Amino acid sequence: MINYLKNNPDNITQWFFAHLWLSVLPVALGLLIALPIGWVASRYRWTYPPITNLAGLLYTIPSLALFIIMPSILGTKILSPINMVVALTVYSVALLVRVVADGLNSVAPDVRAAATAMGFTGLGRFLRVDLPIAVPVITAGLRVATVANVSLVSIGALIGVPQLGSLFTTGFGRYIPGIVLLGVLLCLVLALVLDGLIILGSRLLTPWQRAVAKR
């Protein structure tokens, strides 16, 4: 493992950053898509069951199959990273829609009434009151989606997309467990770093929680 790391620093660095952006971009896109859908599910309660059930069904699609059929849907090449970005965005939306809806549902009616009395309505109340209060719940979903994506991205190596999963295929192809272990460790490091950044971001966005905790 150490020898492979020393002999192939450029490849490993390239694969690491490819794995990074393939993991993060779909979550960011998924959150942007899930926010309005989750708002609808929260605002119009009768839409909550069908929307969340449909999102759950999307996540049951086998990842490798979705990666393979994406080129025929998008008109892209089989090795294009766009296929993985779109597929993983679908999974991220599937995970985040319910989380966003539940987070918005966690806002107490009294809080919303007070915000309305202070002049916050519509989009303003959503952005300045509802969404900040829902941040802790949404953050929990973001952590799950991000860690899941770090794992799912590695499957793309089976269709030839270069990233840390390439260490798995290389290790298996050469019957060298150390290379596989290196891939596992780097994926673990990446997942831990991203998870820590999400936790840090959540704390920065919810300073009132720190104030409450100090009491």
Side-chain angles (χ1 to χ4, degrees):
M1 179 175 70
I2 301 300
N3 289 335
Y4 189 85
L5 184 60
K6 290 180 178 179
N7 295 331
N8 300 273
D10 293 338
N11 283 341
I12 293 174
T13 300
Q14 183 179 356
W15 291 341
F16 184 88
F17 284 105
H19 206 109
L20 172 63
W21 79 265
L22 285 171
S23 299
V24 172
L25 180 59
V27 175
L29 294 174
L31 179 60
L32 290 176
I33 296 171
L35 280 174
I37 298 175
W39 177 85
V40 170
S42 173
R43 177 67 175 79
Y44 304 100
R45 298 299 177 90
W46 64 270
T47 66
Y48 181 92
I51 287 177
T52 55
N53 288 337
L54 177 60
L57 287 175
L58 288 175
Y59 202 77
T60 64
I61 302 173
S63 56
L64 183 58
L66 190 58
F67 293 159
I68 292 174
I69 66 174
M70 271 299 162
S72 60
I73 296 175
L74 301 175
T76 54
K77 296 181 179 180
I78 186 67
L79 298 181
S80 175
I82 295 176
N83 301 322
M84 291 190 63
V85 170
V86 174
L88 293 175
T89 299
V90 171
Y91 287 131
S92 297
V93 171
L95 284 173
L96 294 174
V97 164
R98 181 186 295 271
V99 172
V100 170
D102 290 345
L104 295 175
N105 286 336
S106 70
V107 180
D110 291 345
V111 173
R112 286 179 173 156
T116 301
M118 294 175 64
F120 293 105
T121 57
L123 183 61
R125 193 187 70 180
F126 173 77
L127 293 176
R128 300 185 65 179
V129 179
D130 295 353
L131 190 57
I133 294 176
V135 163
V137 178
I138 295 174
T139 296
L142 280 175
R143 294 174 65 187
V144 173
T146 302
V147 171
N149 272 9
V150 171
S151 176
L152 290 172
V153 166
S154 61
I155 299 176
L158 297 176
I159 58 174
V161 178
Q163 24 74 23
L164 291 179
S166 302
L167 291 169
F168 301 153
T169 55
T170 301
F172 284 125
R174 298 183 183 180
Y175 300 100
I176 304 177
I179 298 178
V180 178
L181 179 59
L182 176 61
V184 172
L185 291 176
L186 289 175
C187 286
L188 179 61
V189 168
L190 179 58
L192 290 174
V193 169
L194 293 177
D195 187 61
L197 289 174
I198 293 173
I199 293 174
L200 177 61
S202 176
R203 290 179 178 176
L204 293 175
L205 291 172
T206 56
W208 60 86
Q209 287 197 323
R210 297 196 301 274
V212 172
K214 291 179 180 178
R215 292 179 181 177

